[in-house]
Amino acid sequence: MKTELKNQLRQQDATVLAQGYSPAIRAMEIFSIIAFVALESALVWRLWGNPLVGPWMVLSAVLLGYLAADFVSGIVHWMGDTWGSTDMPVLGKAFIRPFREHHVDEKAITRHDFVETNGNNCLVSLPVALLALLLPHTSATWVFLSSFLGAMIFWVMATNQFHKWSHTDTPPVIIGLMQRVHLILPPDHHRIHHTAPYDKYYCITVGWMNKPLALIGFFPMMERVITWATGLIPRKDDIGAEAALELFQTQAADAPPVVKAAQELLEGGALAEEPGAVSPVRPS
C-alpha cells in the first residue's frame, strides 16, 4: 500500500520552487534578522542585573523554551507541508515554498546562506520578541514569562540552522557530537520525516516532541478536524489530489485510539445535525 501511494506522489519542480526566492523576500529576511537581533539584545539588557533573575530561573526558561520551540517548529512545519499552495500571495512564496522545495531537493537547504536559512524564522519571531521585551519585569512571574518567550524564539530562530546541519554530509565536529547525543536534530531521526509522503516527525529543532506527538496521533487528529470543518484535503497541493485522498483515508484506518475517538465525536455531531451516511468531511 505504501509503495503504491509513493508512486502516486506528484511533486513540484525543484528549479521552479527555487526561483521563487526573490530579491524582495531576501530584503525582508535581512531586515527580519537585524530586527530580531536588536529585540533579543534589548531583552537581555533589560533582564541583566534584575534582582528577580536567578540561575535556576534562567535554566528553566531555556529548557522549557527549547521544548516549546520544538513543538512550535512541528506546528509550523506541519502547516507548511500540509496546507496551502505556493501560488498563494505572500505566504506562498515566502513561507510555503521553502517547505515544498525541501521535499523535492533535500540538499537545497545546505546550499542556502545564513540569511536564506534563518530569515523566515526571524520574521515569524518578531511579534513574540517584541512582546517579551515589553512585558513588565515587576514580579518573578513576569520576568520568567519574558525570559521563557525570549529563550523560545531564540531556539525557534536556531531551528533552521539545526535542520540544515541535519542534512549536511560533514557537519563540524562539535555539531556532529551534539547530533549523536540528540541535543540538536539528528540526521537519522529527521530521515523518518523524509520518507514519502512526509506526514510524520515534523518537529525539527531537536525532535524530542516527535514521539510523544506521534503516540497520541496529534497531527492526524488535527488534520481530520480541519478537514471536517472546511472540507480541505491535507497535502493536496503538495503530493496531488489522488495520493492525498488515499493517504487521508489510510491515516483514518490506522489512527491511534485517541484519534478514532475524536473522529467518532465529530461524525456523531455531524450525524446529529443531518441524518444520513457518516462522512469524515463536513458537508459544505
Side-chain angles (χ1 to χ4, degrees), residues 22-100:
S22 66
I25 292 176
R26 184 170 182 84
M28 178 181 66
E29 290 178 342
I30 292 173
F31 167 80
S32 300
I33 292 172
I34 294 171
F36 178 85
V37 171
L39 290 172
E40 284 283 83
S41 299
L43 177 60
V44 171
W45 181 81
R46 278 200 70 194
L47 291 170
W48 194 267
N50 188 314
L52 297 174
V53 176
W56 287 110
M57 175 183 285
V58 172
L59 181 60
S60 299
V62 169
L63 290 178
L64 288 175
Y66 203 32
L67 285 173
D70 199 38
F71 178 71
V72 169
S73 76
I75 292 292
V76 174
H77 190 178
W78 166 72
M79 291 175 64
D81 280 4
T82 308
W83 307 105
S85 165
T86 55
D87 297 326
M88 292 174 62
V90 183
L91 288 177
K93 292 188 182 300
F95 293 100
I96 297 175
R97 179 197 59 81
F99 289 108
R100 307 295 166 82

Side-chain angles (χ1 to χ4, degrees), residues 9-276:
L9 300 186
R10 172 189 57 76
Q11 293 180 298
Q12 295 168 276
D13 183 80
T15 303
V16 174
L17 289 169
Q19 290 172 350
Y21 186 65
S22 66
I25 292 176
R26 184 170 182 84
M28 178 181 66
E29 290 178 342
I30 292 173
F31 167 80
S32 300
I33 292 172
I34 294 171
F36 178 85
V37 171
L39 290 172
E40 284 283 83
S41 299
L43 177 60
V44 171
W45 181 81
R46 278 200 70 194
L47 291 170
W48 194 267
N50 188 314
L52 297 174
V53 176
W56 287 110
M57 175 183 285
V58 172
L59 181 60
S60 299
V62 169
L63 290 178
L64 288 175
Y66 203 32
L67 285 173
D70 199 38
F71 178 71
V72 169
S73 76
I75 292 292
V76 174
H77 190 178
W78 166 72
M79 291 175 64
D81 280 4
T82 308
W83 307 105
S85 165
T86 55
D87 297 326
M88 292 174 62
V90 183
L91 288 177
K93 292 188 182 300
F95 293 100
I96 297 175
R97 179 197 59 81
F99 289 108
R100 307 295 166 82
E101 178 190 9
H102 187 55
H103 284 171
V104 295
D105 186 0
E106 293 179 28
K107 292 297 184 181
I109 192 173
T110 66
R111 300 189 294 271
H112 295 169
D113 62 8
F114 182 85
V115 172
E116 189 172 359
T117 299
N118 300 291
N120 269 351
N121 283 9
C122 287
L123 176 62
V124 299
S125 298
L126 290 180
V128 181
L130 185 60
L131 173 63
L133 178 62
L134 296 180
L135 285 175
H137 289 179
T138 54
S139 69
T141 300
W142 284 117
V143 170
F144 176 78
L145 180 58
S146 181
S147 302
F148 164 75
L149 291 175
M152 181 185 70
I153 59 172
F154 173 81
W155 295 123
V156 167
M157 181 278 298
T159 292
N160 271 353
Q161 191 62 55
F162 295 165
H163 184 199
K164 177 179 179 177
W165 281 327
S166 75
H167 286 280
T168 302
D169 293 330
T170 54
V173 174
I174 185 64
I175 299 304
L177 175 61
M178 293 174 71
Q179 289 173 336
R180 284 193 292 274
V181 297
H182 206 156
L183 288 179
I184 61 176
L185 185 66
D188 290 342
H189 179 90
H190 183 49
R191 195 169 293 120
I192 296 172
H193 173 72
H194 280 279
T195 301
Y198 324 107
D199 63 338
K200 58 180 66 69
Y201 276 36
Y202 294 100
C203 301
I204 54 174
T205 302
V206 61
W208 292 347
M209 296 298 295
N210 282 320
K211 287 186 178 179
L213 292 175
L215 283 174
I216 64 173
F218 177 79
F219 290 112
M221 180 167 55
M222 292 291 290
E223 289 170 14
R224 296 204 69 80
V225 169
I226 292 174
T227 298
W228 170 82
T230 67
L232 298 174
I233 301 298
R235 295 173 201 82
K236 178 181 176 181
D237 292 288
D238 184 31
I239 64 176
E242 183 179 354
L245 184 58
E246 182 174 342
L247 175 61
F248 181 79
Q249 295 169 340
T250 301
Q251 285 180 334
D254 298 337
V258 65
V259 180
K260 291 183 178 179
Q263 179 185 350
E264 290 173 1
L265 287 174
L266 291 174
E267 292 177 347
L271 185 60
E273 294 174 6
E274 184 176 329

